[in-house]
PDB file of all heavy atoms in Angstrom:
ATOM      1  N   VAL A  56       7.099  14.442  15.637  1.00  0.00           N
ATOM      2  CA  VAL A  56       7.335  14.158  14.216  1.00  0.00           C
ATOM      3  C   VAL A  56       8.667  13.423  14.045  1.00  0.00           C
ATOM      4  O   VAL A  56       8.732  12.360  13.421  1.00  0.00           O
ATOM      5  CB  VAL A  56       7.287  15.449  13.361  1.00  0.00           C
ATOM      6  CG1 VAL A  56       7.608  15.139  11.909  1.00  0.00           C
ATOM      7  CG2 VAL A  56       5.910  16.108  13.469  1.00  0.00           C
ATOM      8  N   GLU A  61      11.874   8.569  13.143  1.00  0.00           N
ATOM      9  CA  GLU A  61      12.980   7.692  13.525  1.00  0.00           C
ATOM     10  C   GLU A  61      12.461   6.307  13.906  1.00  0.00           C
ATOM     11  O   GLU A  61      13.058   5.289  13.565  1.00  0.00           O
ATOM     12  CB  GLU A  61      13.760   8.306  14.702  1.00  0.00           C
ATOM     13  CG  GLU A  61      14.629   9.459  14.246  1.00  0.00           C
ATOM     14  CD  GLU A  61      15.244  10.258  15.391  1.00  0.00           C
ATOM     15  OE1 GLU A  61      15.051   9.883  16.573  1.00  0.00           O
ATOM     16  OE2 GLU A  61      15.925  11.267  15.083  1.00  0.00           O
ATOM     17  N   ASN A  77       0.107  12.527   3.757  1.00  0.00           N
ATOM     18  CA  ASN A  77      -0.638  11.334   3.332  1.00  0.00           C
ATOM     19  C   ASN A  77       0.217  10.482   2.391  1.00  0.00           C
ATOM     20  O   ASN A  77       1.297  10.901   1.968  1.00  0.00           O
ATOM     21  CB  ASN A  77      -1.987  11.696   2.676  1.00  0.00           C
ATOM     22  CG  ASN A  77      -1.813  12.606   1.489  1.00  0.00           C
ATOM     23  OD1 ASN A  77      -1.165  12.244   0.518  1.00  0.00           O
ATOM     24  ND2 ASN A  77      -2.382  13.803   1.553  1.00  0.00           N
ATOM     25  N   PRO A 100       1.612  -1.421 -11.607  1.00  0.00           N
ATOM     26  CA  PRO A 100       0.486  -2.282 -11.972  1.00  0.00           C
ATOM     27  C   PRO A 100      -0.744  -1.456 -12.316  1.00  0.00           C
ATOM     28  O   PRO A 100      -0.910  -0.343 -11.791  1.00  0.00           O
ATOM     29  CB  PRO A 100       0.236  -3.086 -10.691  1.00  0.00           C
ATOM     30  CG  PRO A 100       0.723  -2.209  -9.589  1.00  0.00           C
ATOM     31  CD  PRO A 100       1.871  -1.421 -10.150  1.00  0.00           C
ATOM     32  N   SER A 106      -3.578   7.066  -6.810  1.00  0.00           N
ATOM     33  CA  SER A 106      -2.450   7.832  -6.255  1.00  0.00           C
ATOM     34  C   SER A 106      -1.141   7.553  -6.999  1.00  0.00           C
ATOM     35  O   SER A 106      -0.331   8.462  -7.205  1.00  0.00           O
ATOM     36  CB  SER A 106      -2.238   7.470  -4.782  1.00  0.00           C
ATOM     37  OG  SER A 106      -3.426   7.614  -4.055  1.00  0.00           O
ATOM     38  N   CYS A 107      -0.933   6.300  -7.377  1.00  0.00           N
ATOM     39  CA  CYS A 107       0.320   5.919  -8.046  1.00  0.00           C
ATOM     40  C   CYS A 107       0.450   6.660  -9.378  1.00  0.00           C
ATOM     41  O   CYS A 107       1.524   7.166  -9.728  1.00  0.00           O
ATOM     42  CB  CYS A 107       0.363   4.413  -8.271  1.00  0.00           C
ATOM     43  SG  CYS A 107       0.237   3.454  -6.746  1.00  0.00           S
ATOM     44  N   CYS A 111       2.855  10.336 -10.540  1.00  0.00           N
ATOM     45  CA  CYS A 111       3.655  10.321 -11.747  1.00  0.00           C
ATOM     46  C   CYS A 111       3.270  11.481 -12.677  1.00  0.00           C
ATOM     47  O   CYS A 111       4.117  12.244 -13.148  1.00  0.00           O
ATOM     48  CB  CYS A 111       3.319   8.971 -12.371  1.00  0.00           C
ATOM     49  SG  CYS A 111       4.397   8.393 -13.556  1.00  0.00           S
ATOM     50  N   PRO A 148       6.773  -1.230  -7.603  1.00  0.00           N
ATOM     51  CA  PRO A 148       6.013  -2.390  -7.129  1.00  0.00           C
ATOM     52  C   PRO A 148       5.039  -1.962  -6.031  1.00  0.00           C
ATOM     53  O   PRO A 148       5.426  -1.254  -5.102  1.00  0.00           O
ATOM     54  CB  PRO A 148       7.087  -3.326  -6.548  1.00  0.00           C
ATOM     55  CG  PRO A 148       8.367  -2.591  -6.571  1.00  0.00           C
ATOM     56  CD  PRO A 148       8.155  -1.226  -7.142  1.00  0.00           C
ATOM     57  N   VAL A 149       3.793  -2.375  -6.179  1.00  0.00           N
ATOM     58  CA  VAL A 149       2.769  -2.042  -5.183  1.00  0.00           C
ATOM     59  C   VAL A 149       2.366  -3.341  -4.482  1.00  0.00           C
ATOM     60  O   VAL A 149       1.762  -4.225  -5.089  1.00  0.00           O
ATOM     61  CB  VAL A 149       1.531  -1.409  -5.853  1.00  0.00           C
ATOM     62  CG1 VAL A 149       0.499  -1.004  -4.795  1.00  0.00           C
ATOM     63  CG2 VAL A 149       1.930  -0.209  -6.709  1.00  0.00           C
ATOM     64  N   VAL A 161      12.020  -7.935 -10.284  1.00  0.00           N
ATOM     65  CA  VAL A 161      12.167  -6.472 -10.205  1.00  0.00           C
ATOM     66  C   VAL A 161      13.636  -6.124  -9.943  1.00  0.00           C
ATOM     67  O   VAL A 161      14.207  -5.249 -10.604  1.00  0.00           O
ATOM     68  CB  VAL A 161      11.270  -5.882  -9.087  1.00  0.00           C
ATOM     69  CG1 VAL A 161      11.431  -4.356  -9.012  1.00  0.00           C
ATOM     70  CG2 VAL A 161       9.805  -6.255  -9.289  1.00  0.00           C
ATOM     71  N   ALA A 204       7.356   4.602  -0.338  1.00  0.00           N
ATOM     72  CA  ALA A 204       6.280   5.478   0.126  1.00  0.00           C
ATOM     73  C   ALA A 204       5.293   4.617   0.887  1.00  0.00           C
ATOM     74  O   ALA A 204       4.950   3.512   0.447  1.00  0.00           O
ATOM     75  CB  ALA A 204       5.588   6.137  -1.064  1.00  0.00           C
ATOM     76  N   LEU A 260       0.388  16.552  15.973  1.00  0.00           N
ATOM     77  CA  LEU A 260      -0.787  15.816  16.452  1.00  0.00           C
ATOM     78  C   LEU A 260      -0.873  14.438  15.782  1.00  0.00           C
ATOM     79  O   LEU A 260      -1.110  13.424  16.433  1.00  0.00           O
ATOM     80  CB  LEU A 260      -2.067  16.600  16.137  1.00  0.00           C
ATOM     81  CG  LEU A 260      -2.206  17.970  16.806  1.00  0.00           C
ATOM     82  CD1 LEU A 260      -3.245  18.817  16.085  1.00  0.00           C
ATOM     83  CD2 LEU A 260      -2.581  17.796  18.269  1.00  0.00           C
ATOM     84  N   GLU A 270       4.152   1.905  18.826  1.00  0.00           N
ATOM     85  CA  GLU A 270       4.453   1.106  20.025  1.00  0.00           C
ATOM     86  C   GLU A 270       3.690  -0.221  20.012  1.00  0.00           C
ATOM     87  O   GLU A 270       4.062  -1.161  20.693  1.00  0.00           O
ATOM     88  CB  GLU A 270       4.091   1.903  21.293  1.00  0.00           C
ATOM     89  CG  GLU A 270       5.004   3.105  21.515  1.00  0.00           C
ATOM     90  CD  GLU A 270       4.496   4.076  22.597  1.00  0.00           C
ATOM     91  OE1 GLU A 270       3.371   3.874  23.120  1.00  0.00           O
ATOM     92  OE2 GLU A 270       5.218   5.038  22.901  1.00  0.00           O
ATOM     93  N   PHE A 275      -0.311  -5.449  16.527  1.00  0.00           N
ATOM     94  CA  PHE A 275      -1.281  -5.290  15.441  1.00  0.00           C
ATOM     95  C   PHE A 275      -1.020  -6.290  14.311  1.00  0.00           C
ATOM     96  O   PHE A 275      -1.939  -6.889  13.761  1.00  0.00           O
ATOM     97  CB  PHE A 275      -1.244  -3.862  14.871  1.00  0.00           C
ATOM     98  CG  PHE A 275      -1.810  -2.808  15.791  1.00  0.00           C
ATOM     99  CD1 PHE A 275      -1.774  -1.466  15.421  1.00  0.00           C
ATOM    100  CD2 PHE A 275      -2.371  -3.133  17.021  1.00  0.00           C
ATOM    101  CE1 PHE A 275      -2.299  -0.479  16.257  1.00  0.00           C
ATOM    102  CE2 PHE A 275      -2.891  -2.167  17.867  1.00  0.00           C
ATOM    103  CZ  PHE A 275      -2.849  -0.827  17.478  1.00  0.00           C
ATOM    104  N   LYS A 279      -3.486  -9.227  12.815  1.00  0.00           N
ATOM    105  CA  LYS A 279      -3.841  -9.354  11.392  1.00  0.00           C
ATOM    106  C   LYS A 279      -3.524 -10.757  10.884  1.00  0.00           C
ATOM    107  O   LYS A 279      -4.325 -11.360  10.148  1.00  0.00           O
ATOM    108  CB  LYS A 279      -3.055  -8.332  10.556  1.00  0.00           C
ATOM    109  CG  LYS A 279      -3.514  -6.899  10.712  1.00  0.00           C
ATOM    110  CD  LYS A 279      -4.766  -6.622   9.910  1.00  0.00           C
ATOM    111  CE  LYS A 279      -5.036  -5.135   9.807  1.00  0.00           C
ATOM    112  NZ  LYS A 279      -6.363  -4.849   9.222  1.00  0.00           N
ATOM    113  N   LYS A 302       2.362 -17.920  -0.027  1.00  0.00           N
ATOM    114  CA  LYS A 302       3.480 -18.238  -0.912  1.00  0.00           C
ATOM    115  C   LYS A 302       4.727 -18.457  -0.072  1.00  0.00           C
ATOM    116  O   LYS A 302       4.928 -17.754   0.936  1.00  0.00           O
ATOM    117  CB  LYS A 302       3.734 -17.052  -1.862  1.00  0.00           C
ATOM    118  CG  LYS A 302       2.632 -16.866  -2.877  1.00  0.00           C
ATOM    119  CD  LYS A 302       2.801 -17.903  -3.947  1.00  0.00           C
ATOM    120  CE  LYS A 302       1.725 -17.835  -4.998  1.00  0.00           C
ATOM    121  NZ  LYS A 302       1.784 -19.000  -5.880  1.00  0.00           N
ATOM    122  N   LYS A 306       5.891 -13.410   3.619  1.00  0.00           N
ATOM    123  CA  LYS A 306       5.220 -13.356   4.917  1.00  0.00           C
ATOM    124  C   LYS A 306       4.207 -12.229   4.817  1.00  0.00           C
ATOM    125  O   LYS A 306       4.547 -11.059   4.940  1.00  0.00           O
ATOM    126  CB  LYS A 306       6.220 -13.053   6.042  1.00  0.00           C
ATOM    127  CG  LYS A 306       7.055 -14.247   6.453  1.00  0.00           C
ATOM    128  CD  LYS A 306       7.957 -13.909   7.636  1.00  0.00           C
ATOM    129  CE  LYS A 306       8.996 -15.002   7.834  1.00  0.00           C
ATOM    130  NZ  LYS A 306      10.168 -14.529   8.603  1.00  0.00           N
ATOM    131  N   TYR A 309      -1.709  -9.756   5.813  1.00  0.00           N
ATOM    132  CA  TYR A 309      -3.172  -9.798   5.672  1.00  0.00           C
ATOM    133  C   TYR A 309      -3.818  -8.459   6.022  1.00  0.00           C
ATOM    134  O   TYR A 309      -4.725  -8.404   6.848  1.00  0.00           O
ATOM    135  CB  TYR A 309      -3.762 -10.910   6.553  1.00  0.00           C
ATOM    136  CG  TYR A 309      -3.250 -12.282   6.191  1.00  0.00           C
ATOM    137  CD1 TYR A 309      -2.204 -12.872   6.893  1.00  0.00           C
ATOM    138  CD2 TYR A 309      -3.808 -12.981   5.129  1.00  0.00           C
ATOM    139  CE1 TYR A 309      -1.728 -14.133   6.545  1.00  0.00           C
ATOM    140  CE2 TYR A 309      -3.339 -14.240   4.778  1.00  0.00           C
ATOM    141  CZ  TYR A 309      -2.301 -14.801   5.496  1.00  0.00           C
ATOM    142  OH  TYR A 309      -1.840 -16.039   5.141  1.00  0.00           O
ATOM    143  N   LEU A 316     -14.491 -14.494  -6.541  1.00  0.00           N
ATOM    144  CA  LEU A 316     -15.453 -15.544  -6.889  1.00  0.00           C
ATOM    145  C   LEU A 316     -15.156 -16.129  -8.259  1.00  0.00           C
ATOM    146  O   LEU A 316     -14.778 -15.400  -9.188  1.00  0.00           O
ATOM    147  CB  LEU A 316     -16.870 -14.954  -6.909  1.00  0.00           C
ATOM    148  CG  LEU A 316     -17.316 -14.205  -5.664  1.00  0.00           C
ATOM    149  CD1 LEU A 316     -18.666 -13.523  -5.919  1.00  0.00           C
ATOM    150  CD2 LEU A 316     -17.410 -15.150  -4.472  1.00  0.00           C
ATOM    151  N   PHE A 320     -20.107 -19.145 -10.827  1.00  0.00           N
ATOM    152  CA  PHE A 320     -21.249 -18.908  -9.939  1.00  0.00           C
ATOM    153  C   PHE A 320     -22.244 -17.927 -10.552  1.00  0.00           C
ATOM    154  O   PHE A 320     -23.393 -17.828 -10.122  1.00  0.00           O
ATOM    155  CB  PHE A 320     -20.805 -18.332  -8.591  1.00  0.00           C
ATOM    156  CG  PHE A 320     -20.002 -19.278  -7.744  1.00  0.00           C
ATOM    157  CD1 PHE A 320     -18.699 -18.985  -7.404  1.00  0.00           C
ATOM    158  CD2 PHE A 320     -20.567 -20.466  -7.291  1.00  0.00           C
ATOM    159  CE1 PHE A 320     -17.952 -19.861  -6.626  1.00  0.00           C
ATOM    160  CE2 PHE A 320     -19.832 -21.346  -6.507  1.00  0.00           C
ATOM    161  CZ  PHE A 320     -18.521 -21.041  -6.183  1.00  0.00           C
ATOM    162  N   ALA A 337     -20.045  -5.541   6.089  1.00  0.00           N
ATOM    163  CA  ALA A 337     -19.486  -4.548   5.171  1.00  0.00           C
ATOM    164  C   ALA A 337     -18.325  -5.164   4.397  1.00  0.00           C
ATOM    165  O   ALA A 337     -17.605  -6.021   4.915  1.00  0.00           O
ATOM    166  CB  ALA A 337     -19.015  -3.329   5.952  1.00  0.00           C
ATOM    167  N   LEU A 351      -8.013   9.216 -16.879  1.00  0.00           N
ATOM    168  CA  LEU A 351      -6.709   8.933 -17.488  1.00  0.00           C
ATOM    169  C   LEU A 351      -6.854   8.685 -18.992  1.00  0.00           C
ATOM    170  O   LEU A 351      -6.040   9.167 -19.791  1.00  0.00           O
ATOM    171  CB  LEU A 351      -6.052   7.740 -16.784  1.00  0.00           C
ATOM    172  CG  LEU A 351      -5.847   7.939 -15.269  1.00  0.00           C
ATOM    173  CD1 LEU A 351      -5.269   6.685 -14.622  1.00  0.00           C
ATOM    174  CD2 LEU A 351      -4.946   9.139 -14.982  1.00  0.00           C
ATOM    175  N   ASN A 353      -9.035  10.034 -20.854  1.00  0.00           N
ATOM    176  CA  ASN A 353      -9.254  11.345 -21.476  1.00  0.00           C
ATOM    177  C   ASN A 353      -7.967  12.120 -21.672  1.00  0.00           C
ATOM    178  O   ASN A 353      -7.917  13.076 -22.435  1.00  0.00           O
ATOM    179  CB  ASN A 353     -10.237  12.182 -20.633  1.00  0.00           C
ATOM    180  CG  ASN A 353     -11.642  11.613 -20.698  1.00  0.00           C
ATOM    181  OD1 ASN A 353     -11.964  10.843 -21.617  1.00  0.00           O
ATOM    182  ND2 ASN A 353     -12.465  11.960 -19.718  1.00  0.00           N
ATOM    183  N   LEU A 356      -4.181   8.374 -22.093  1.00  0.00           N
ATOM    184  CA  LEU A 356      -3.396   7.283 -21.504  1.00  0.00           C
ATOM    185  C   LEU A 356      -4.145   5.950 -21.597  1.00  0.00           C
ATOM    186  O   LEU A 356      -5.352   5.901 -21.350  1.00  0.00           O
ATOM    187  CB  LEU A 356      -3.118   7.575 -20.021  1.00  0.00           C
ATOM    188  CG  LEU A 356      -2.099   8.674 -19.735  1.00  0.00           C
ATOM    189  CD1 LEU A 356      -2.147   9.062 -18.253  1.00  0.00           C
ATOM    190  CD2 LEU A 356      -0.688   8.227 -20.097  1.00  0.00           C
ATOM    191  N   PRO A 363      -6.468  -7.949 -18.840  1.00  0.00           N
ATOM    192  CA  PRO A 363      -7.607  -8.821 -18.526  1.00  0.00           C
ATOM    193  C   PRO A 363      -7.612  -9.349 -17.087  1.00  0.00           C
ATOM    194  O   PRO A 363      -8.690  -9.511 -16.511  1.00  0.00           O
ATOM    195  CB  PRO A 363      -7.470  -9.970 -19.541  1.00  0.00           C
ATOM    196  CG  PRO A 363      -6.100  -9.860 -20.116  1.00  0.00           C
ATOM    197  CD  PRO A 363      -5.680  -8.442 -19.989  1.00  0.00           C
ATOM    198  N   LEU A 379      -8.726  -4.639  13.146  1.00  0.00           N
ATOM    199  CA  LEU A 379      -8.003  -5.158  14.311  1.00  0.00           C
ATOM    200  C   LEU A 379      -8.943  -5.550  15.449  1.00  0.00           C
ATOM    201  O   LEU A 379      -8.545  -6.265  16.365  1.00  0.00           O
ATOM    202  CB  LEU A 379      -7.006  -4.101  14.802  1.00  0.00           C
ATOM    203  CG  LEU A 379      -5.839  -3.840  13.850  1.00  0.00           C
ATOM    204  CD1 LEU A 379      -5.123  -2.548  14.216  1.00  0.00           C
ATOM    205  CD2 LEU A 379      -4.865  -5.014  13.858  1.00  0.00           C
ATOM    206  N   LYS A 384     -15.514 -15.157  15.996  1.00  0.00           N
ATOM    207  CA  LYS A 384     -16.960 -15.445  15.861  1.00  0.00           C
ATOM    208  C   LYS A 384     -17.556 -14.687  14.672  1.00  0.00           C
ATOM    209  O   LYS A 384     -18.430 -15.194  13.974  1.00  0.00           O
ATOM    210  CB  LYS A 384     -17.691 -14.978  17.129  1.00  0.00           C
ATOM    211  CG  LYS A 384     -17.934 -16.061  18.135  1.00  0.00           C
ATOM    212  CD  LYS A 384     -19.184 -15.712  18.978  1.00  0.00           C
ATOM    213  CE  LYS A 384     -19.498 -16.822  19.958  1.00  0.00           C
ATOM    214  NZ  LYS A 384     -18.846 -16.648  21.266  1.00  0.00           N
ATOM    215  N   LYS A 395     -23.236 -19.946   2.202  1.00  0.00           N
ATOM    216  CA  LYS A 395     -24.651 -20.115   1.878  1.00  0.00           C
ATOM    217  C   LYS A 395     -24.990 -19.455   0.541  1.00  0.00           C
ATOM    218  O   LYS A 395     -25.697 -20.021  -0.293  1.00  0.00           O
ATOM    219  CB  LYS A 395     -25.518 -19.526   2.982  1.00  0.00           C
ATOM    220  CG  LYS A 395     -26.222 -20.605   3.793  1.00  0.00           C
ATOM    221  CD  LYS A 395     -27.161 -20.017   4.829  1.00  0.00           C
ATOM    222  CE  LYS A 395     -26.814 -20.531   6.206  1.00  0.00           C
ATOM    223  NZ  LYS A 395     -26.758 -19.530   7.241  1.00  0.00           N
TER     224      LYS A 395
END
Side-chain angles (χ1 to χ4, degrees):
V56 177
E61 285 170 3
N77 57 61
S106 307
C107 301
C111 197
V149 183
V161 180
L260 297 161
E270 292 168 355
F275 289 177
K279 287 281 193 189
K302 291 283 178 190
K306 283 184 193 159
Y309 299 98
L316 307 172
F320 293 117
L351 302 177
N353 290 341
L356 287 168
L379 292 165
K384 263 207 177 91
K395 251 184 236 134

